Amino acid sequence: MRHRSVLSWGAAASAVALLAACGAMSSGKDANPMSFFITSANPGKGGDLGGLAGADRQCQALAASVGAGGKTWRAYLSATEAGGQPAVNARDRIGTGPWRNAKGVVVATSVADLHSANAKLGKDTSLTEKGEVVSGFGDPVNRHDILTGSRPDGTLAPAAAGKDTTCGNWTRSVDGSAIVGHHDKKGTNPDPVANASWNASHGTRGCSVDQLKQSGSAGLMYCFAVN
């Protein structure tokens, strides 16, 4: 009887350990160490992302689809003052870093590093949540214009009177414009500094899916984990 009892306790302990291991694996929190990606697709309305909240939901959903939904995700987007709400800077929304892509490569160690020449963003490192390379300048289909609405330092890109830099705070699917960056740091912008900027190269020709395509954009955005 004593021997049988020892075996029972041993079996129970093993079962508890197994359940704990399974629980940790299924929690999703540590299933994928990725903390930075470019969205693999636009929700379907061009520059209308459902505002900042809708853009964040898109980041969260895509992250969850690859086992990284245990983190809190934010879109790297700036927005203008509106409805009694203050302006928003993309750099203030994304946490403190460091950030890793889907392959585990650290692309930046901090907010300051991200907005410096030391940042490791580029076509080979700025991957989608699936770990795929986004096509860029010189490819059959160019999708290198990534929506940001920002200046090189990650703050809101101010608009001239009657102009737009954020597709109406990410609610317009026609007209308007948005500042985009070149994820591959290549293009035809005559300003060599802006041309190679990952977050602030130029404005789009509009906010519809077709208008975004005209300047090399598929309405994609950068997503960062804040924790």
Side-chain angles (χ1 to χ4, degrees):
M1 292 290 291
R2 182 181 180 82
H3 181 63
R4 207 176 290 129
S5 176
V6 171
L7 286 177
S8 297
W9 279 107
S14 297
V16 169
L18 180 60
L19 287 172
C22 290
M25 290 173 63
S26 62
S27 69
K29 191 143 190 163
D30 299 314
N32 188 333
M34 177 183 69
S35 50
F36 159 78
F37 64 89
I38 292 178
T39 54
S40 59
N42 176 271
K45 296 182 180 180
D48 180 359
L49 303 170
L52 291 178
D56 290 344
R57 286 193 295 271
Q58 172 77 346
C59 287
Q60 195 74 45
L62 291 177
S65 73
V66 294
K71 306 178 184 72
T72 299
W73 290 86
R74 294 287 180 266
Y76 183 91
L77 297 172
S78 293
T80 63
E81 179 182 358
Q85 297 300 311
V88 177
N89 298 318
R91 65 179 291 141
D92 298 332
R93 314 188 73 242
I94 59 174
T96 58
W99 296 284
R100 291 177 171 81
N101 67 14
K103 301 297 184 183
V105 175
V106 175
V107 297
T109 59
S110 65
V111 172
D113 187 48
L114 178 67
H115 296 93
S116 75
N118 187 58
K120 304 302 188 292
L121 282 77
K123 186 177 181 181
D124 295 332
T125 53
S126 298
L127 308 175
T128 70
E129 75 281 358
K130 301 175 183 178
E132 299 172 342
V133 172
V134 176
S135 59
F137 184 74
D139 291 328
V141 178
N142 181 12
R143 303 191 301 161
H144 74 167
D145 284 355
I146 311 300
L147 301 171
T148 71
S150 305
R151 292 185 287 195
D153 65 355
T155 58
L156 171 68
K163 301 296 183 180
D164 186 16
T165 60
T166 65
C167 281
N169 282 347
W170 315 110
T171 62
R172 287 182 182 170
S173 58
V174 294
D175 302 323
S177 180
I179 294 296
V180 295
H182 290 166
H183 88 291
D184 56 1
K185 301 183 177 181
K186 296 180 180 179
T188 59
N189 190 319
D191 181 338
V193 176
N195 194 46
S197 175
W198 66 273
N199 66 343
S201 183
H202 58 82
T204 63
R205 298 182 184 180
C207 294
S208 71
V209 171
D210 288 339
Q211 288 172 321
L212 291 176
K213 284 181 180 178
Q214 291 173 17
S215 59
S217 175
L220 308 182
M221 57 186 173
Y222 297 109
C223 298
F224 290 80
V226 302
N227 59 350

